[in-house]
Amino acid sequence: MKSANGTAANAAEQLATIARGASEILVEQDLLERLASGRSLRVKAGFDPTAPDLHLGHTVLLNKMRQFQDLGHQVIFLIGDFTGMIGDPTGKNATRPPLTAEEVKANATTYQAQVFKILDPERTEIRFNSEWMSRMDAVGMIKLAAQHTVARMLERDDFRKRYDEERPIAIHEFLYPLVQGYDSVALEADVELGGTDQKFNLLVGRQLQGAAGLPPQIVLTMPLLEGLDGVQKMSKSLNNYVGIEEAPHDMFGKLMRISDELMWRYFELLSFRSIADIDGLRRSVDEGRNPRDVKLELAAEIVARFHSDAAAQQAQRGFIEQFSHGALPSNIPEFDVHTGEVGMALVNVLKVCGLTSSTSEARRMITQGAVKLDRQRVDDLECTLAAGAEYLVQVGKRRYGRIRLSGKS
Amino acid sequence: MKSANGTAANAAEQLATIARGASEILVEQDLLERLASGRSLRVKAGFDPTAPDLHLGHTVLLNKMRQFQDLGHQVIFLIGDFTGMIGDPTGKNATRPPLTAEEVKANATTYQAQVFKILDPERTEIRFNSEWMSRMDAVGMIKLAAQHTVARMLERDDFRKRYDEERPIAIHEFLYPLVQGYDSVALEADVELGGTDQKFNLLVGRQLQGAAGLPPQIVLTMPLLEGLDGVQKMSKSLNNYVGIEEAPHDMFGKLMRISDELMWRYFELLSFRSIADIDGLRRSVDEGRNPRDVKLELAAEIVARFHSDAAAQQAQRGFIEQFSHGALPSNIPEFDVHTGEVGMALVNVLKVCGLTSSTSEARRMITQGAVKLDRQRVDDLECTLAAGAEYLVQVGKRRYGRIRLSGKS
């Protein structure tokens, strides 16, 4: 691991690494100066305290944090437990019960197990904002609220939209960005990282630090990673994600199904390979190399990160065997199924494509172990196929189909 | 003093007294039911914790509180010290320094000395909202803020106006009406009184009580009393007021200078005489009685309230002597002076009317004790004449003028 040192040349090099894949850096000149100071910078990123189950979309930010660590900086993994423990203060949202301190702690433990697959524990400070927020009284909250105006808060896209559409905004929602901003004051962050959708809140932190007489933090936003469909952002509810705790085989298979275009995006935001390396791969494809082979490298790198090199090699072998060998009929029929964004249950897909006569038959066949998806037996009656993906389906001995699910209805 | 008793007839009678002079009662039917319950109601009114120096405008509300007391109800004189001790949290307003607990206490003592000239101490509870607000933490503040929406808060006239004019509204300003509303929850108020300009805030209290599972308070607004000019609301800064600690002679003289029309308004809002009595006076004037004689009764009643019957009689005698007797020249010239809303300094008036050749001469004459205003020697070089009023001015032995100041420029 390199240590941060303060020569200007080194600062420029660091900046190139930091800027990779970033949407925006505010203000780049400030960042360059702090890098040149040779100090180990305090780099903050905030995370939700609800039960974590991270997918590759979340790791875009974690990767950037890791890059800062590799450059010798200190990362602060901030868990926003203060508001999580309040729950929904309007009482209207029963699906957002307040978290207990025990739940927060348990979730933090799960977080650590997951994020330390990417982050360096030695340069990671895990903090909870309840540490300072639970000591704040109503007067402190009022003074914090006085630091921002209603008009500026209504400039935030989502607030503006809801206000214009006459959908209610409860006043406490104006306080939450201020709490997040105050966290930067309490932590004396040099840099705060977040998704592009967080830019407004990150700038509030910058402003509050300035008002508190601290040097305002640099704001660095990362793009939101597209899901497997290449269109929508990766999310569980859209079922277009790769969870970082998924089995090697599943993870590998999902990554091999992305489009070639999306592959380059994933290289930029998910691979740890250097920009020069990736440019080399791109040239090789331009010169005729099969993109599938490059995709194998990406899939293997990512599976290795969250499992092991051995697991990655095994998943790769399995994948190649499935698709390259095996006695498949020569003329497998192809189906395009139009589904909603969340994909479609396998039993419905089988019926729609005529691979079974009904969903009951589909269920029976699955129960009998007679249905295979990408050559793997399906055990789960609730199995859902993702929108935007392509599958090889086998029912019994003779019925085959190549099924493409389109997320646009 | 009558005690509250619960017959329906009594409730209707009480309501007639309570409704006298009121702008609005929300909801009258609720009030009627609570009056009919025979319970002693908890009647809240909030006051600023800054140094009090009350004028007759403030007493409109105090009189209404007194009427509730006379009907057997409990009045809560709430001093909003919590926000006063915060001061201006934006730090932009140097003229609003935070009050210390000692200052709040001293101001409260001054308040008591003044308001107990009207209120019955036996049925008055003096409370400070710091009692519950200083125990509230940031979580409590957030939960309070969650009870109201941004859109509804922007419906308040002054917020709406500032927002539309793009003048800044700091977010904590949205919290203050909620604090005031929460006071009603903490106090379990049955009724809250306030000026018409307070209606929005009083309704917030009603809403928060409902959300807290309490019966929502009845909101009763009183009109803002016009000042001596009969146009603008009574206020110190407009110099159209009668302070309740002014000397009997001054108070009497100021009240005798109001218009006949304004006199009836003052009877309604400031006199303790019954509606029937006042109707009788009005009839007598319609039948030819000199309105000045009725005005003498009003002035005497008010001076007696804040001083004593003896002081009122003396002031009345002095006033009559001044204006009815004394060797005044037969043809005193009259002057109409157009001034700004705040009136005009006497030295300028003298010059403008040609009663002195210059303001320096005016100053010299005052210093020599040679200037009289309504027959009283003027000692104060800074003496200012009120807009909307009429004065008899004498300079030296021979120079006289009847001066009318008009507030419209």
Side-chain angles (χ1 to χ4, degrees), chain B residues 233-276:
Chain B
K233 73 168 186 172
M234 185 174 282
S235 99
K236 275 218 177 108
S237 56
L238 296 180
N239 195 24
N240 62 357
Y241 70 102
V242 181
I244 70 170
E245 296 201 315
E246 286 192 55
H249 168 84
D250 296 329
M251 199 178 256
F252 205 101
K254 282 185 175 182
L255 287 167
M256 288 307 295
R257 276 197 296 274
I258 64 175
S259 71
D260 296 345
E261 193 191 356
L262 189 59
M263 171 181 76
W264 297 118
R265 179 77 170 158
Y266 279 22
F267 262 115
E268 182 185 24
L269 295 172
L270 298 178
S271 170
F272 286 175
R273 297 174 74 158
S274 71
I275 300 174

Side-chain angles (χ1 to χ4, degrees), chain A residues 82-83 86 89-90 92 133-134 136-139 141-143 145-151 153-154 160 163 168-172 174-176 178-179, chain B residues 82-83 86 89-90 92 133-134 136-139 141-143 145-151 153-154 160 163 168-172 174-176 178-179:
Chain A
F82 173 70
T83 49
I86 296 177
T90 67
K92 285 176 191 158
M133 287 308 301
S134 63
M136 189 182 275
D137 59 11
V139 175
M141 200 68 232
I142 286 171
K143 289 183 174 172
Q147 302 295 312
H148 218 74
T149 68
V150 170
M153 201 56 86
L154 278 174
R160 165 55 48 197
Y163 185 72
I169 304 166
I171 292 168
H172 78 285
F174 275 15
L175 302 179
Y176 283 1
L178 294 165
V179 168
Chain B
F82 174 69
T83 49
I86 296 176
T90 67
K92 284 175 190 157
M133 287 309 301
S134 63
M136 188 182 274
D137 60 11
V139 175
M141 200 69 233
I142 287 171
K143 289 184 173 171
Q147 302 295 310
H148 219 76
T149 68
V150 170
M153 201 57 85
L154 278 174
R160 165 55 49 198
Y163 185 71
I169 304 166
I171 292 168
H172 77 283
F174 275 15
L175 302 179
Y176 283 2
L178 294 165
V179 169

Side-chain angles (χ1 to χ4, degrees), chain A residues 243-262:
Chain A
I244 70 170
E245 297 202 314
E246 286 192 54
H249 168 84
D250 296 330
M251 200 180 256
F252 205 100
K254 282 184 174 183
L255 287 167
M256 289 308 295
R257 276 199 295 274
I258 63 175
S259 71
D260 296 346
E261 192 190 357
L262 188 60

Side-chain angles (χ1 to χ4, degrees), chain A residues 34-94:
Chain A
R34 287 201 215 189
L35 291 171
S37 76
R39 224 170 16 94
S40 168
L41 303 183
R42 295 174 62 71
V43 180
K44 168 198 173 198
F47 293 83
D48 217 273
T50 47
D53 190 359
L54 301 182
H55 56 60
L56 291 182
H58 300 111
T59 70
V60 170
L61 209 60
L62 293 167
N63 293 348
K64 185 56 66 187
M65 291 160 81
R66 173 61 191 235
Q67 288 162 1
F68 271 100
Q69 292 181 323
D70 287 347
L71 294 168
H73 303 292
Q74 177 68 32
V75 151
I76 305 157
F77 188 93
L78 177 69
I79 298 182
D81 65 332
F82 173 70
T83 49
M85 290 193 288
I86 296 177
D88 173 27
T90 67
K92 285 176 191 158
N93 193 343

